[in-house]
Amino acid sequence: MGSLYALPRCHPHDAPWVEQRLAKFPQRFRPHLARRYERVYRSDTEFPRREANTLLRNLTDALPRHGYRLAADNDELVDFAAAKAKACARLAAPLKGAEERYRVLAKFVRDHGLQPPDPIGPVTIEGAVARMTDELWWRRAVRSSHGRATEKVARDLMLVNKDTGIYSSDETLYRRRGQKRRNRQMLEELLAINEQGDSYTVAELSDLSTSNPAIRRNELMTRLAGFEAVAKQLWHVGEFITLTCPSRMHKAKLAGGSGKAIENPKFDGTTPREAQACLSRVWSRIRSKLARHGIKLYGFRVAEPNHDGCPHWHFLVFPPAWARRRVRLTFLRYGLAEDGDEPGAKERRVTFVIIDNSKGSAIGYVAKYIAKNIDGFGIEGDQYGNDAVSAAERVDAWAACWGIRQFQQLGGPPVTVWRELRRIEYECDGVLETARNCADKGDWAGFVRIMGGPTAPRETQPIRAAYWHEIDRETGELPQNRYGELATERLFGLRIGETLQMTRWHTWRIEKAKKVPPPACTTETANQRAQELSNPKTDAYPAQPPAPGSAIFHGGNEPAPPWSSVNNCTREQPTLENDRTNGSTYPSA
C-alpha cells in the first residue's frame, strides 16, 4: 500500500529523518502531521527549521511505548500477542508456586503497558497465570490498549473534533469497521447445534438478539414508554437532566464567532474513559444522597460524546412531585463540586428540563438520543449537521474504543426476567401467567407493577432469573472455563418462590461450519459454461436444484441465482419462537 501523504517541505538533509519520524504514526495521522510540520517550517520565525524538527521530535517522543508500534495493523498485533504469550510461558516454566509465577508474569505484563488480571472473585491465581500465557487473552488486551493509545494520540493532535473527526478519529472508525467485519465473519463460520440436530449459524442467532441495533432500539423504547406510563399512574413527574464534565477534561472547544473547533488551553490530558469514571463517581454520590432522603429514581441514563470525545450524561428520571426540588439541588451540589466556580459552569454543567405532558411525551425528549447512539434511525442528523447514520457509527466506534456503557436502566425490574418470559409459549399459573401476558403484549408498565413497582428491591420481586451449573454428562463434573476455573452459571429459566420454570430447554454446542470447496474449473468447463450462458435458447440451469452440498458458479467465483422467485432461505427451517415485542424471532434455546 502506497503512502497516504506527501513528505512535507523540509530541508533536504532532514528528509530521511522526517520520514522516519512520521512512520511512527498511523497512516491516517501522517497527512495532518505533515501539514503541521510544514506550517512551522515555512513560518517567519528566526529558526523555522529547528522549530519544525523540535515539534516533530517532541510529538514522537511523547508516543506511548508498549512494545508494539502505534502504527501497527491488526496482523502485527496478533503476532505480537502470540510472541508475548509464548514469552510468558517460558518465564513461568522454571518457576515453582503459583504466587511466584503470578508475580513475575504480572510484572512482565505491566512492563508492556497492560493491566494483569486480578486474582479476585471467580478468578483464581492459577487462572490469572493461565490467562497471561494465553494468546487470546493477550490479543484482547493488546487490541484494547492499542486502540485507546491511538485514540489518545489522535485527541492530542486535535484529530477528534467537529472539524476533523467528530466523536472519534478516522483511524478508530476504520479499525472498528475492521473489528465488526472480523466478528461477523467468525459468527458466520460457527454453527450452533442442539440435541435435536437443529442448527443455525451464530450470525443468524445474533441477528435475532439485542446485538441487532433495531431490536436493541425497539426494546429500549418499549421500556422507556413503560416507565413513563408507570410515572403517570403514580403521579410522578418527569425530569430530563444533563450532566457534563469540567472544562479541563475537554480537549477542544468551539470558538465564539465562527464555531470552529480550537484547542482548549485548560485541557489536562483526561481521557474519555477517565471522564466517564468521573461522571460515575458523581452519580454514585447523587444516588447515595437521594437514598438517604428516601428518594429512589427510575428511568434511563444515556452516555454520549461531545464533539471532541469527552462524554456527558443525559438522565430521564421520574421522581415523586414532592422530591423534585431535592433532586435538582442534589444534582447541582455534586455536579458542581469540582471546578464549580469556573466561568459558565453554573449555566452549562448541570441542566434541567421539566417534562410537560401537555406539550409532548417524555419519549420525545430522549428518543433522538437513543437513535443517535445506536443506528441513527428516524433522525436526519446530529446537532452539528452530520448525517445521523454516519454519526451513529462514529459514536459506536467511540464507545467500543473506550469501553463506555451507553445505556443504563435506573430502577425497575431486571430486563432478563422480561426476556425470559417472552420465551414461554404456553399458559402458566398465577403471577407467572400475568407477567407472561404483559411480556407477550410488550406491556412494560404492567410488568413493572407485577414486579412490585419501579423502585422495589430485587429480593422482594416475585419472579427472578434462575441459574445453574450445567454438569458434564460424560464425566459428571462441574464445567470449567479455558483457564481451569469453575465456569459461570448458565441461565436456564425463572424462579417464583420455591418453584422453578424452565425457559431454555435445549443444550447447544458450537462447531465450526464445514466449508464446501467450489468445483474445479478447467478451461474446457469454462468455455462450455460461457457458451451456455451466451445462448438464450439453452436452459443454463437444470430443472431441479442441485443436491445438498453441491454448487454452481459463474466463472468459478460467483454463486448462481436462486432456483425460484423467492430466496432459498425461505425453505422450511427449524421452529423459532416469536419475539412478541418487536416482530423478530428468537431461537428456542
Side-chain angles (χ1 to χ4, degrees):
M1 182 177 180
S3 176
L4 298 179
Y5 68 101
L7 194 67
R9 181 180 177 183
C10 59
H11 192 279
H13 293 169
D14 297 336
W17 180 84
V18 170
E19 187 171 14
Q20 180 187 22
R21 289 276 171 165
L22 289 177
K24 295 178 179 292
F25 294 88
Q27 284 191 331
R28 293 182 180 86
F29 291 7
R30 296 172 198 171
H32 169 82
L33 290 168
R35 290 191 297 268
R36 190 168 172 179
Y37 178 95
E38 189 166 340
R39 280 197 302 270
V40 177
Y41 182 78
R42 301 179 68 174
S43 64
D44 296 330
T45 57
E46 185 176 0
F47 303 105
R49 176 188 175 189
R50 184 173 67 184
E51 291 179 8
N53 289 342
T54 300
L55 168 69
L56 189 56
R57 183 185 298 109
N58 291 339
L59 290 174
T60 50
D61 289 347
L63 291 178
R65 291 174 173 81
H66 297 322
Y68 49 79
R69 299 184 310 123
L70 194 71
D73 58 15
N74 182 66
D75 292 339
E76 189 173 336
L77 294 180
V78 170
D79 293 340
F80 176 84
K84 298 308 172 184
K86 292 178 181 178
C88 281
R90 289 194 298 269
L91 282 174
L95 302 177
K96 296 181 180 180
E99 293 184 359
E100 184 180 3
R101 287 197 293 269
Y102 179 82
R103 179 179 54 80
V104 172
L105 296 189
K107 182 181 183 302
F108 182 84
V109 169
R110 291 191 189 97
D111 289 343
H112 287 82
L114 304 177
Q115 182 63 33
D118 292 324
I120 57 176
V123 179
T124 64
I125 193 167
E126 293 83 2
V129 170
R131 282 171 172 81
M132 290 183 284
T133 59
D134 180 35
E135 178 182 345
L136 289 181
W137 182 88
W138 271 91
R139 191 181 301 178
R140 295 189 191 101
V142 167
R143 280 174 174 164
S144 176
S145 175
H146 179 261
R148 291 172 186 174
T150 301
E151 190 69 354
K152 183 181 184 302
V153 171
R155 295 184 80 226
D156 292 341
L157 295 176
M158 284 292 289
L159 293 177
V160 182
N161 56 68
K162 80 176 192 67
D163 296 328
T164 52
I166 195 164
Y167 308 133
S168 61
S169 68
D170 292 342
E171 182 72 16
T172 293
L173 175 65
Y174 285 105
R175 286 179 183 271
R176 177 61 172 165
R177 287 177 179 173
Q179 180 189 30
K180 283 188 170 183
R181 187 167 53 249
R182 292 192 304 271
N183 291 346
R184 185 68 186 184
Q185 182 179 356
M186 179 189 67
L187 295 181
E188 290 175 348
E189 293 175 352
L190 295 176
L191 286 178
I193 306 173
N194 64 21
E195 76 285 352
Q196 296 179 350
D198 299 333
S199 66
Y200 309 88
T201 66
V202 178
E204 291 174 327
L205 302 184
S206 175
D207 291 340
L208 303 177
S209 71
T210 52
S211 298
N212 185 326
I215 294 177
R216 186 184 182 198
R217 171 172 40 78
N218 288 340
E219 186 185 81
L220 284 170
M221 297 300 290
T222 298
R223 290 151 63 190
L224 179 60
F227 274 138
E228 183 181 21
V230 169
K232 290 179 179 178
Q233 294 165 1
L234 298 176
W235 294 91
H236 290 174
V237 294
E239 283 280 342
F240 185 75
I241 306 171
T242 300
L243 186 65
T244 60
C245 294
S247 62
R248 64 179 179 81
M249 298 184 183
H250 295 262
K251 173 61 179 177
K253 64 178 183 177
L254 301 181
S258 63
K260 184 178 179 181
I262 59 175
E263 193 163 358
N264 177 19
K266 297 181 180 179
F267 181 61
D268 63 357
T270 301
T271 67
R273 187 171 177 83
E274 293 167 342
Q276 177 79 356
C278 175
L279 292 174
S280 296
R281 289 192 297 270
V282 172
W283 168 237
S284 177
R285 293 165 185 157
I286 292 172
R287 191 176 63 248
S288 298
K289 180 66 173 179
L290 292 176
R292 289 194 292 271
H293 288 282
I295 303 171
K296 294 183 179 180
L297 300 179
Y298 61 95
F300 272 92
R301 185 271 293 160
V302 180
E304 67 170 3
N306 288 94
H307 70 101
D308 66 340
C310 183
H312 62 275
W313 287 9
H314 299 294
F315 294 86
L316 180 59
V317 291
F318 301 94
W322 61 266
R324 168 176 276 167
R325 185 172 181 273
R326 174 65 65 181
V327 169
R328 290 194 169 199
L329 289 175
T330 304
F331 266 89
L332 284 171
R333 173 184 174 181
Y334 291 100
L336 297 175
E338 187 174 349
D339 299 338
D341 56 349
E342 64 181 355
K346 293 182 180 179
E347 294 79 17
R348 294 189 290 269
R349 287 270 293 279
V350 185
T351 61
F352 305 91
V353 176
I354 298 176
I355 305 300
D356 188 346
N357 292 326
S358 64
K359 295 182 179 179
S361 168
I363 298 178
Y365 286 86
V366 76
K368 64 179 180 180
Y369 296 103
I370 291 178
K372 172 186 170 183
N373 288 278
I374 294 182
D375 57 3
F377 176 82
I379 56 177
E380 295 181 358
D382 64 6
Q383 67 187 93
Y384 302 102
N386 298 293
D387 175 70
V389 176
S390 61
E393 186 183 20
R394 300 188 80 98
V395 171
D396 171 72
W398 166 82
C401 173
W402 296 110
I404 291 177
R405 182 180 180 181
Q406 294 175 271
F407 305 98
Q408 181 181 11
Q409 178 180 308
L410 308 177
V415 71
T416 300
V417 175
W418 165 268
R419 292 169 180 164
E420 293 305 303
L421 286 168
R422 290 175 8 211
R423 291 177 173 270
I424 304 175
E425 290 258 327
Y426 45 84
E427 292 187 4
C428 303
D429 297 324
V431 66
L432 186 63
E433 176 62 16
T434 309
R436 188 189 72 85
N437 285 330
C438 289
D440 188 54
K441 299 173 183 176
D443 182 8
W444 178 263
F447 174 65
V448 170
R449 289 193 300 271
I450 293 167
M451 296 291 282
T455 59
R458 292 291 172 91
E459 59 270 15
T460 65
Q461 294 172 355
I463 308 174
R464 305 175 69 180
Y467 300 82
W468 65 7
H469 279 117
E470 189 172 337
I471 299 177
D472 191 311
R473 296 180 179 179
E474 295 181 0
T475 63
E477 298 178 352
L478 292 174
Q480 293 184 336
N481 60 21
R482 64 184 291 126
Y483 304 115
E485 301 160 341
L486 182 65
T488 57
E489 294 180 318
R490 292 189 178 185
L491 176 66
F492 74 88
L494 301 171
R495 181 186 298 274
I496 310 94
E498 298 300 323
T499 304
L500 298 178
Q501 174 65 52
M502 292 280 292
T503 59
R504 299 177 178 239
W505 299 91
H506 297 299
T507 301
W508 296 84
R509 69 180 189 276
I510 304 298
E511 294 183 357
K512 214 168 174 74
K514 296 180 180 179
K515 294 183 179 180
V516 179
C521 182
T522 63
T523 304
E524 181 180 355
T525 58
N527 292 336
Q528 180 181 359
R529 187 65 174 153
Q531 183 178 2
E532 291 176 350
L533 293 175
S534 63
N535 185 359
K537 296 182 180 180
T538 301
D539 184 4
Y541 305 104
Q544 298 295 329
S550 64
I552 291 183
F553 286 77
H554 295 288
N557 293 319
E558 296 183 22
W563 295 107
S564 64
S565 59
V566 297
N567 189 287
N568 289 335
C569 294
T570 58
R571 66 184 183 273
E572 184 178 352
Q573 294 285 347
T575 303
L576 297 179
E577 295 184 13
N578 256 343
D579 173 3
R580 304 170 188 85
T581 299
N582 47 49
S584 66
T585 54
Y586 278 110
S588 48

